[in-house]
Amino acid sequence: MSHASRPSPSTSSTSSAPSLADTLGPFGWDAAWAVEFIPYAEQGLLPGRVVRVDRGQCDVMTEHGIVRADTAFVTPHDPLRVICTGDWAAVEPSGNPRYVKAYLPRRTAFVRSTSSQRSEGQILAANVDHAIIAVSLAVELDLGRIERFLALAWESGAQPLVVLTKADLVPDPVTLAHLVQDVETTAPGVQVLTVSSLTGEGTDVLTALVGGGTSVLLGVSGAGKSTLANTLLGADVMEVQSAREVDGKGRHTTTTRNLLALPGGGVLIDTPGLRGVGLWDAGTGVGQVFAEIEEYAEACRFHDCAHEAEPGCAVRAAVDSGELPERRLESYRKLLRENQRIVAKTDARLRSEIRRDWRLKSAEGRANYAAKRHGRA
């Protein structure tokens, strides 16, 4: 069969069978993904979206339903290139075990640094359009943590959205308005939405916002993510645990990242509660979160101003005048320092790996040279 007569990746070979747009469309399949997949379709591979990953295997939603596949062929040494929830995969049509042979280039990727000392990044979700940052109103707001989540969200390429959950626990509208204002000041350019799964407040707006594209649900344990996911799904799909009254913390009710199609359209990736949200080369994201500080900095006398005691510092002038909260500047400095450390560690690790590879290649070269000399002798 010639290439011209081969069926398109986005259509079925028979008019009566459902097309990929019908079966995978609810999971985010579109014409651009179909074009990307052409080389794999020509190899007889099936397209599918990874809905869950665990223990070297993954569940992939294909035109034939969910299949279990091994990820051995796509498990490189770089932890940022391992297959993850949200990837579009090329899967073998059959086999026992069945393998994922490749995945399509990611449009976006949500990455954080690991808690280890190896300065490695961990990818949490791929091909995400909206990053929903769930923040509980049952406890005191941690604005610094919100800024940290926002930096990672902006860096990923997704559009952040802050959802203040458990709004029913703040019955006074004036108090609630002040809390929303505090978060809006912390999240310039980001929509802030108050939601109560108990009363239904804000859920219709949130459903409309996530109705197109893929959303990832992020937050610490006890933020109400699983309850929020159930509200969006219209069913008790995710297990819910009550948070402790003392500090509002909950147990990890979600232990893996799961991708689910929403009944009103769109796709949701629910994630476990994150104890740590370390930055991973998120300089652009930090700049986006603190856009007003970087705008002030453009008027500083010195281009490398540290905004501490330098003469002509426009940032310090904004703090002194009350235009810029001191807390914002301190948080900005903290995240910048953290990001610079992780970038420096990563660069050092890369240099070390390059030197190691160079030493191995040099040793191989010397061994080959010695073998040739011995052969001639």
Side-chain angles (χ1 to χ4, degrees):
M1 181 184 291
S2 68
H3 179 74
S5 61
R6 215 182 265 117
S8 166
S10 61
T11 61
S12 172
S13 59
T14 64
S15 58
S16 60
S19 67
L20 288 181
D22 294 327
T23 56
L24 294 181
F27 290 85
W29 183 261
D30 58 28
W33 288 123
V35 171
E36 291 267 9
F37 198 80
I38 288 175
Y40 303 103
E42 292 175 344
Q43 299 173 37
L45 299 174
L46 297 177
R49 192 153 198 199
V50 178
V51 299
R52 176 187 172 102
V53 179
D54 62 277
R55 300 178 183 178
Q57 293 186 313
C58 62
D59 294 334
V60 185
M61 175 58 72
T62 71
E63 60 186 306
H64 305 302
I66 291 181
V67 301
R68 187 75 167 164
D70 196 296
T71 64
F73 280 97
V74 284
T75 308
H77 295 299
D78 185 350
L80 297 182
R81 296 177 60 197
V82 299
I83 200 158
C84 76
T85 303
D87 274 324
W88 282 101
V91 187
E92 290 179 327
S94 61
N96 187 19
R98 181 184 305 220
Y99 288 96
V100 173
K101 304 296 286 188
Y103 62 84
L104 300 183
R106 294 160 177 158
R107 294 177 182 175
T108 61
F110 194 95
V111 180
R112 68 165 177 173
S113 66
T114 62
S115 57
S116 69
Q117 299 301 312
R118 298 179 62 187
S119 66
E120 291 181 342
Q122 178 189 20
I123 183 163
L124 299 179
N127 302 312
V128 172
D129 302 295
H130 312 287
I132 305 172
I133 302 166
V135 180
S136 173
L137 289 174
V139 294
E140 184 177 354
L141 290 176
D142 187 337
L143 299 178
R145 179 181 287 151
I146 294 173
E147 288 163 342
R148 183 179 292 272
F149 270 113
L150 287 169
L152 292 175
W154 281 122
E155 192 69 32
S156 75
Q159 172 66 44
L161 167 67
V162 178
V163 175
L164 303 179
T165 65
K166 309 179 184 180
D168 53 282
L169 297 179
V170 189
D172 179 23
V174 175
T175 302
L176 184 60
H178 282 308
L179 292 172
V180 171
Q181 185 178 18
D182 286 344
V183 177
E184 287 176 338
T185 301
T186 298
V190 176
Q191 184 169 356
V192 179
L193 182 65
T194 57
V195 168
S196 169
S197 298
L198 182 66
T199 66
E201 175 189 346
T203 56
D204 54 341
V205 178
L206 180 59
T207 299
L209 288 172
V210 303
T214 298
S215 302
V216 62
L217 191 52
L218 305 159
V220 298
S221 297
K225 297 188 308 302
S226 294
T227 301
L228 195 59
N230 286 336
T231 299
L232 291 172
L233 291 163
D236 291 338
V237 175
M238 311 306 297
E239 183 184 358
V240 177
Q241 296 279 0
S242 60
R244 297 191 301 239
E245 292 183 4
V246 175
D247 54 13
K249 293 181 180 179
R251 288 190 293 173
H252 294 290
T253 52
T254 303
T255 57
T256 58
R257 288 173 284 279
N258 303 281
L259 184 147
L260 302 159
L262 298 173
V267 177
L268 180 69
I269 299 176
D270 191 21
T271 65
L274 301 175
R275 290 190 179 91
V277 277
L279 301 185
W280 175 259
D281 197 3
T284 301
V286 172
Q288 187 80 25
V289 175
F290 299 93
E292 82 279 25
I293 296 181
E294 301 214 333
E295 186 174 339
Y296 284 127
E298 292 178 0
C300 289
R301 181 183 301 178
F302 304 109
H303 74 277
D304 58 348
C305 183
H307 317 310
E308 292 177 351
E310 296 89 343
C313 176
V315 173
R316 288 301 322 173
V319 171
D320 294 340
S321 68
E323 295 178 50
L324 177 66
E326 180 78 37
R327 188 208 65 80
R328 284 281 283 173
L329 179 56
E330 288 302 316
S331 184
Y332 174 65
R333 287 172 173 158
K334 179 180 179 180
L335 292 186
L336 273 186
R337 287 194 298 267
E338 179 181 330
N339 193 65
Q340 288 166 353
R341 282 197 300 269
I342 195 67
V343 169
K345 277 186 178 181
T346 304
D347 288 346
R349 180 171 57 84
L350 290 175
R351 287 195 298 270
S352 176
E353 290 178 355
I354 291 171
R355 284 196 297 269
R356 186 186 66 231
D357 290 344
W358 181 83
R359 286 195 297 269
L360 288 174
K361 290 177 180 178
S362 296
E364 290 174 1
R366 288 193 298 271
N368 291 337
Y369 178 71
K372 288 181 180 178
R373 287 190 60 190
H374 180 73
R376 286 199 301 270

